[in-house]
Amino acid sequence: MVEVAHNFGIVDTILFVGSLLVAIAVGVYYAYVDRNMSSLDNYYYAGKKISPIAVGFSCAVTFISSITVLSIPVMTYTHGTVIIWYFATNIVAMLPGVIYFIPLIHRLQLPSIFEYLERRFHSVVKKACTVVFCFYQIMWMAIATHLTAIALNIVSPMSVSLSIILTICICAFYTTLGGIKAVVWVDTIQSFIMAAGIIAVTVQTSISIGGMGEALEAMAQKGLNNFWNFDPDITVSYSFWSLVVGLGPAWSSYYCTNQSLTQRLQSCKNARDSRIACLVSFVISSTFLTLSALNGMVMFKYFEGCDPVKSGEIKMKDQLIPLLVIRLFKHVPGISGLFVSAAYSGMLRCAAEFFIKNLPFNYTSVTENH
């Protein structure tokens, strides 16, 4: 295992701490601004006055977690350029929501997406699905924060336990104080931080290896330049068919029936604004997915002939991108801090999902008697 804490200098620390303080400041700001507005509609839906552009950025960051920043490059590194088809998966997933579900949720004005299950079926169905979703969200938050903390441990001086505790505390603070307004605007700010971190890695690695063409050639030699491979073999884990035809409809639940997204979309003024937000989310999330896949391609060329996992330099493949950052930017102050801030932004988002988007609504859904 590589010792890398020494690479995290003063500038890196300032950037990282600054990104966390911004989240806290946004929460405090909206707590102060809305101190005389105690309605639940304002706290959970911002009075339906949030910009659809901001909501779109927030939806995109909800979709793109820290696991995406760290794992999509590894998937491309392992399975090839076919991973770029994730952008098409996004198109298939979005269409049912834009065409049907967005007008539906605005017409019904549901306090939570689970209320529809009671109206359509029975309260028992609603309560059962709410409990399952709460369990899923808790497990997802635990996995996302823990895996991210382990991966970032290679590039930052923080221990895994400290990273997790810090994430939970900061998210609990700004989401509780600022409500949905704080969450949406923190997500928007974090999307720019994530973009800066991902692009910095893409550009510098590409320059280091001699260009994207070199990466494509290296992957082609190993049979991994497989973007145009439409082989219908169902035993292949990642292919055009499994990603677009298989995963696309599965992802549609995110745009259609996910409590996190429907709450954001109901924060828009009307169905038209929600559709705009959804389209913005598609563009931003697809860009993140594609850039992350490009990172995997250039990383493949960079580590060609010397896999750090096989050599024992790192313990898990999710640490490949942090290791790449260490090697590329060892003597460039601030970049390690920028990357950690980018990955940590996705980590904060995972925890924020539980605090503001699920627990209050789902608790109400389970305990409320109608």
Side-chain angles (χ1 to χ4, degrees):
M1 186 71 179
V2 184
E3 294 294 334
V4 295
H6 303 293
N7 294 332
F8 209 82
I10 296 176
V11 178
D12 301 301
T13 303
I14 291 173
L15 284 172
F16 175 60
V17 173
S19 68
L20 300 181
L21 290 177
V22 167
I24 294 173
V26 171
V28 172
Y29 171 78
Y30 279 109
Y32 177 78
V33 169
D34 293 342
R35 63 191 183 280
N36 296 322
M37 301 175 66
S38 58
S39 69
L40 289 177
D41 180 67
N42 180 69
Y43 186 78
Y44 289 125
Y45 296 112
K48 299 187 181 296
K49 296 179 181 179
I50 299 185
S51 162
I53 304 300
V55 172
F57 272 91
S58 181
C59 291
V61 177
T62 301
F63 187 74
I64 302 298
S65 69
S66 53
I67 289 182
T68 303
V69 175
L70 298 171
S71 66
I72 291 294
V74 174
M75 291 168 64
T76 307
Y77 180 92
T78 305
H79 299 286
T81 56
V82 67
I83 299 300
I84 298 175
W85 280 112
Y86 264 118
F87 83 90
T89 304
N90 218 0
I91 296 175
V92 174
M94 180 188 65
L95 288 177
V98 171
I99 295 171
Y100 178 73
F101 275 90
I102 286 178
L104 176 67
I105 61 175
H106 275 277
R107 185 170 67 251
L108 296 179
Q109 292 296 305
L110 301 170
S112 81
I113 195 64
F114 301 104
E115 292 295 320
Y116 177 78
L117 296 174
E118 181 174 17
R119 296 188 187 186
R120 179 65 179 82
F121 301 105
H122 192 273
S123 61
V124 174
V125 178
K126 179 190 73 171
K127 292 175 182 178
C129 291
T130 301
V131 170
V132 170
F133 187 74
C134 279
F135 178 76
Y136 156 78
Q137 202 64 39
I138 292 171
M139 296 303 295
W140 164 246
M141 181 181 71
I143 293 170
T145 53
H146 186 256
L147 289 181
T148 304
I150 292 174
L152 292 183
N153 183 245
I154 192 177
V155 71
S156 74
M158 288 191 300
S159 67
V160 173
S161 298
L162 179 59
S163 293
I164 294 173
I165 293 171
L166 190 62
T167 299
I168 301 303
C169 290
I170 290 175
C171 284
F173 184 82
Y174 80 78
T175 56
T176 302
L177 285 181
I180 188 65
K181 291 181 183 178
V183 172
V184 167
W185 286 107
V186 168
D187 285 350
T188 302
I189 295 168
Q190 288 175 345
S191 68
F192 287 98
I193 296 174
M194 291 173 69
I198 293 172
I199 291 172
V201 174
T202 306
V203 172
Q204 186 57 41
T205 311
S206 183
I207 293 172
S208 176
I209 65 173
M212 193 62 67
E214 294 292 326
L216 284 170
E217 184 177 344
M219 299 196 82
Q221 290 175 358
K222 297 295 183 179
L224 293 175
N225 188 9
N226 51 5
F227 179 78
W228 297 110
N229 184 3
F230 297 100
D231 186 351
D233 185 358
I234 61 174
T235 63
V236 177
S237 299
Y238 294 96
S239 66
F240 168 83
W241 304 106
S242 63
L243 290 175
V244 179
V245 180
L247 190 58
W251 271 9
S252 64
S253 63
Y254 168 78
Y255 285 99
C256 300
T257 58
N258 185 285
Q259 171 61 31
S260 303
L261 192 75
T262 55
Q263 184 185 355
R264 284 178 170 87
L265 294 177
Q266 287 190 88
S267 299
C268 294
K269 183 178 180 180
N270 50 42
R272 175 182 173 274
D273 282 0
S274 291
R275 280 172 166 156
I276 293 173
C278 212
L279 292 173
V280 171
S281 172
F282 163 73
V283 172
I284 301 302
S285 60
S286 295
T287 300
F288 276 134
L289 287 167
T290 303
L291 285 174
S292 295
L294 293 179
N295 275 346
M297 292 167 57
V298 294
M299 182 171 67
F300 183 88
K301 174 61 178 178
Y302 187 89
F303 288 125
E304 186 180 22
C306 185
D307 188 304
V309 179
K310 293 180 180 178
S311 67
E313 192 172 3
I314 56 176
K315 294 180 179 179
M316 51 190 279
K317 288 186 176 181
D318 284 340
Q319 293 177 323
L320 280 169
I321 282 288
L323 178 63
L324 180 64
V325 170
I326 294 167
R327 291 192 178 181
L328 288 174
F329 303 107
K330 185 175 182 179
H331 303 294
V332 182
I335 301 299
S336 292
L338 178 64
F339 173 77
V340 171
S341 298
Y344 216 88
S345 292
M347 190 173 172
L348 283 173
R349 198 282 308 160
C350 293
E353 282 304 293
F354 179 77
F355 285 108
I356 191 64
K357 308 296 188 299
N358 301 298
L359 185 57
F361 279 114
N362 296 341
Y363 179 79
T364 300
S365 296
V366 172
T367 60
E368 197 176 47
N369 292 318
H370 296 280

